[in-house]
Amino acid sequence: MPKIITLAHQKGGVGKSTLAANLAASFKSNVRTAIMDVDPQGTITQLSKIYKGIDILPYSENISSLEYDVIFIDTPPYLSDNLLKILEISDLVIIPTKAGIADLLAIRSTISVVEKSQKRNPKLKAVVVLNMVKYATTLTEDVRKQIGELDITLLKAQISDRVNFTRSIALESAIYGIGDLKAEKEIDNLTKEILLLFSI
């Protein structure tokens, strides 16, 4: 039975697809890895022939029976019935967010959906990760403090707003195909925190 890691946030433009691709690239060397693309924009699906060692899957309600070790699920930028079903069978939901006020406001409704799902799926863990973080701004720390007041774990690892992350989604090994060691380390640090949440 695979570990199912869902990326969700009701606001678009927070980098869910790019983060899913990079996390899958981080995991693929050690475990059988897939991405299930549930987002109607189909960014990951359109790039499926590019990725090596990562299977791209259409949505299926039989996710738990698929023969992978880890499946990342890329969800649409709105709250759908499918999202509730997905969260009810997920092991972990990652809520990527920019360090912005609008993004922070949208987190609350996403957390509300997660909490409803946790009543039906008590094993579901939920975390927030700061994504596309701008350099040299105090807003990031302000947002960290505000998220800290919510009933959800904020990961220490954060992903910077780098041009190479934008490029990475269209490369067969994602960020690991660019040679940007700082960007790789950010994804590695995030992967380590995820692994600490449960053994894979």
Side-chain angles (χ1 to χ4, degrees):
M1 180 180 293
K3 293 292 185 185
I4 299 171
I5 301 175
T6 296
L7 287 93
H9 194 305
Q10 79 156 61
K11 188 174 181 298
V14 296
K16 291 190 297 291
S17 298
T18 300
L19 194 55
N22 280 296
L23 284 171
S26 174
F27 276 75
K28 73 176 184 179
S29 297
N30 299 304
V31 293
R32 293 169 299 171
T33 305
I35 302 174
M36 185 169 286
D37 190 357
V38 184
D39 189 346
Q41 293 181 42
T43 303
I44 297 285
T45 299
Q46 292 177 59
L47 297 168
S48 60
K49 292 181 180 177
I50 291 173
Y51 301 124
K52 303 296 181 189
I54 304 167
D55 290 341
I56 310 302
L57 311 172
Y59 176 66
S60 166
E61 293 190 358
N62 300 318
I63 305 169
S64 298
S65 64
L66 297 176
E67 294 186 1
Y68 294 94
D69 297 303
V70 180
I71 299 175
F72 292 94
I73 302 180
D74 185 24
T75 62
Y78 50 82
L79 304 178
S80 66
D81 291 338
N82 275 350
L83 180 58
L84 287 169
K85 291 177 186 175
I86 289 166
L87 292 178
E88 285 172 13
I89 59 165
S90 294
D91 297 285
L92 172 66
V93 57
I94 298 172
I95 305 172
T97 187
K98 292 181 181 178
I101 303 304
D103 304 276
L104 184 61
L105 292 172
I107 280 180
R108 296 177 188 276
S109 44
T110 306
I111 291 173
S112 176
V113 172
V114 170
E115 288 172 345
K116 287 178 187 174
S117 299
Q118 285 174 322
K119 290 176 182 176
R120 299 181 73 172
N121 176 14
K123 71 173 184 175
L124 176 63
K125 297 180 185 346
V127 297
V128 173
V129 62
L130 290 179
N131 196 28
M132 305 165 77
V133 173
K134 304 285 186 191
Y135 294 103
T137 172
T138 58
L139 180 60
T140 301
E141 285 310 309
D142 292 342
V143 169
R144 274 194 170 276
K145 287 177 185 174
Q146 291 184 56
I147 293 173
E149 295 172 3
L150 303 175
D151 189 20
I152 194 166
T153 299
L154 174 62
L155 297 182
K156 292 178 183 176
Q158 63 183 35
I159 307 301
S160 300
D161 185 15
R162 300 174 185 273
V163 172
N164 280 338
F165 278 124
T166 305
R167 292 188 180 119
S168 70
I169 195 169
L171 299 174
E172 66 178 53
S173 295
I175 200 64
Y176 298 97
I178 292 179
D180 184 336
L181 298 182
K182 289 183 179 178
E184 287 180 24
K185 186 170 183 181
E186 289 182 357
I187 295 296
D188 289 344
N189 288 340
L190 178 55
T191 298
K192 287 173 186 173
E193 278 200 80
I194 292 169
L195 288 170
L196 287 173
L197 294 171
F198 44 75
S199 297
I200 295 180

